[in-house]
Amino acid sequence: MAPRVMPFSGTDSDEDGISDAFEGAEDRVDTDGDGTPDFQDTDSDNDGRPDSEERGLGGGTVAPTDTDGDGTPDFRDEDSDGNGVPDAEEGAGDASGNDPPQR
């Protein structure tokens, strides 16, 4: 599947490499419910991994990475590799041992 492409708004308020348009600035999306909209939040899903790492090769006009292909980009996904272990528990490794470490 080809990455989703959006016009780059030229704005990245939280400087994580993900365009404010992808982070839902227009609708003020707040994935983790912490009161800070994703476009201003450096860890949108509050898993302890910064959005700048979870975006993968995406950013600018290319959609951020969705490792498990569930339609939720990693920077918003509590279990980005879909192995049943939340990223907050898994950290930079793979606690379940069934997948390569998170990148």
Side-chain angles (χ1 to χ4, degrees):
M1 172 185 278
R4 195 171 111 213
V5 177
M6 294 180 79
F8 183 59
S9 68
T11 306
D12 180 14
S13 298
D14 56 6
E15 299 180 349
D16 59 4
I18 305 170
S19 167
D20 289 354
F22 274 120
E23 290 188 293
E26 187 173 309
D27 298 322
R28 301 195 59 83
V29 174
D30 180 12
T31 298
D32 59 11
D34 66 356
T36 302
D38 291 356
F39 77 99
Q40 295 175 325
D41 195 337
T42 58
D43 184 8
S44 297
D45 58 2
N46 199 30
D47 64 356
R49 297 193 61 230
D51 295 349
S52 60
E53 290 179 10
E54 290 188 297
R55 73 181 173 96
L57 300 176
T61 61
V62 178
T65 298
D66 176 11
T67 299
D68 59 8
D70 66 355
T72 302
D74 292 355
F75 79 94
R76 287 190 173 141
D77 198 338
E78 293 180 7
D79 180 16
S80 60
D81 61 3
N83 67 355
V85 179
D87 294 346
E89 291 178 29
E90 204 165 51
D94 180 18
S96 67
N98 66 354
D99 289 310
Q102 299 275 312
R103 290 180 280 195

